[in-house]
Amino acid sequence: MEDRTERRQALLAAVRRGADLLREGGSALDAVQVTVAELEDDTRFNAGTGSVLNSVGTVEMDASVMVMERGRGGEARISAGAVAAVSRVKNPLMLARAVMEETAHVMLAGSGAHRFARRAGIELCRVEDLITARARERWRARQLQFRKQGSSAAAPSTVGAVAIDSNGNIAAGTSTGGIPGKIPGRVGDSAIVGAGTFVSARGGASATGHGEAIILAGLCREAVAALLGQSPSSVARRAVATLLAPAKAEGGIVIVDRKARIGFAHNAAAMQVATFDSAELRHCWVEPLRLARTS
Ligand code: GLY
């Protein structure tokens, strides 16, 4: 219970930082980055320091960021950056942003991403610096289970943020250590634009949950496309429903549309969301969506 309360406070503090930045006229992209960085630095979440461990007991993280910025003539310019299977940076989303802003590519993986980080002036750390005692204990406890069941469990505590700023620019970002016990080299939805993160002129979305199912559903891209004519809340519920049937996969999504309306839904054991809508900072433990299940 203490952990729950601490995580609630940490989430509120992270969103408050992003909200303060937006209130001072900052960009949606900066707001998403500072919010996600706070959560990556907090060992209670599965991103950055405190990430879950893979089958060989090490950390490999994924992150992506996407932004829609309005040009002078009002035209929408879309850009995105992502990193996959990185293990030597404390803030993978910052590196994803550097990929977006400083390269002609959208995604860099593994050692190439580390080399690029050095070139971009992002400090490299040792992988041990990212591994907490708790992550190590959980890894040991799960080893036997992994051998029996594989690593199909949903990713716990992936972090993400979506924001719209006073210029109408929209950004979304997602960061994760992935699924515990995953095979080294496995890349999940959080690194994949269209799956774990997506933005268009209609809005932005960030997802959490079982990456393979989210990739197959193209979850965030489909959700943002559906914003035409539907509220973010109803889009979020429908998106999660597509994960439940037929795959019965666990997941959740947060969405902000171009009118700054917010929607979120999930079907996992728990998902907490903090929102800021120019008036108020709020937190909620979101009730899971349940569909009739046949088994
Ligand atoms: N949703 C995070 C992952 O599957 O890696």
Side-chain angles (χ1 to χ4, degrees), residues 62 155 158 176 178-179 186 188-190 207-212 214:
D62 299 331
T158 288
T176 190
I179 290 180
R186 178 263 187 190
D189 61 298
S190 305
T208 178
H210 188 225
E212 281 70 9
I214 295 171

Side-chain angles (χ1 to χ4, degrees), residues 64-79:
S64 58
V65 66
M66 192 165 185
V67 63
M68 186 285 300
E69 288 163 314
R70 292 277 171 203
R72 281 173 188 268
E75 76 284 4
R77 287 191 314 243
I78 304 283
S79 28

Side-chain angles (χ1 to χ4, degrees), residues 177-277:
I179 290 180
K182 63 189 180 180
I183 294 173
R186 178 263 187 190
V187 175
D189 61 298
S190 305
I192 299 183
V193 167
T197 303
F198 195 72
V199 167
S200 81
R202 292 181 190 174
S206 168
T208 178
H210 188 225
E212 281 70 9
I214 295 171
I215 292 169
L216 290 174
L219 196 73
C220 286
R221 189 180 187 114
E222 290 288 323
V224 170
L227 284 172
L228 197 66
Q230 286 183 66
S231 74
S233 301
S234 110
V235 168
R237 282 195 300 273
R238 280 166 198 258
V240 168
T242 65
L243 288 181
L244 273 176
K248 296 183 181 166
E250 283 191 356
I253 191 164
V254 289
I255 302 174
V256 174
D257 76 0
R258 66 189 173 86
K259 295 180 185 158
R261 297 179 301 175
I262 298 166
F264 43 81
H266 78 103
N267 65 4
M271 181 170 98
Q272 53 176 325
V273 173
T275 62
F276 172 76
D277 64 3

